[in-house]
Amino acid sequence: MSYPSRPERLFANWVIPYEMIRPADLPVRESIRGTAVSVNVCSGGMLVVMDHRPEIDQVIKVSIPTRISTIAIDALAQVRWAEQIDFPPFAASYRVGLKFLFSPSI
């Protein structure tokens, strides 16, 4: 029995620096910076935990660590969904699904 191929996922709890990009049409042109914790990463996107709920379709610049500790890959990602974690120690946190933008097709 064969199963359809799925993109490989990397499970890691990395600290992911991010910058939320504000659209140019907003009066205040500033970004919000912070850190998230990755749950898993694949070629199409990543699941992270954040301390606030981002807007759906918000564009975020994320810095993804590599195996070489001094190098990170900057990528643009779009928030596809966000949900509050319903577990007391983490009740102020959100699981956030990000889709990479401009990712190469394989």
Side-chain angles (χ1 to χ4, degrees):
M1 175 179 222
S2 83
Y3 295 96
S5 65
R6 297 181 73 191
E8 284 192 40
R9 293 180 186 214
L10 178 62
F11 296 92
N13 289 327
W14 292 323
V15 174
I16 306 288
Y18 68 83
E19 178 180 357
M20 291 192 163
I21 310 298
R22 296 281 184 193
D25 59 347
L26 286 181
V28 178
R29 179 93 171 125
E30 64 181 47
S31 60
I32 298 171
R33 295 172 191 257
T35 56
V37 176
S38 67
V39 176
N40 67 41
V41 180
C42 71
S43 62
M46 63 192 308
L47 173 62
V48 297
V49 174
M50 301 175 85
D51 62 359
H52 69 283
R53 183 183 198 119
E55 295 291 323
I56 303 301
D57 294 331
Q58 170 73 53
V59 175
I60 298 177
K61 179 178 143 186
V62 292
S63 294
I64 304 165
T66 63
R67 291 179 187 205
I68 302 171
S69 64
T70 59
I71 297 175
I73 298 170
D74 289 338
L76 290 178
Q78 181 181 39
V79 175
R80 302 304 294 160
W81 57 269
E83 65 183 17
Q84 188 168 11
I85 297 174
D86 191 22
F87 188 69
F90 305 102
S93 300
Y94 296 86
R95 292 182 339 129
V96 179
L98 301 174
K99 177 184 175 187
F100 293 132
L101 302 176
F102 312 113
S103 57
S105 55
I106 299 172

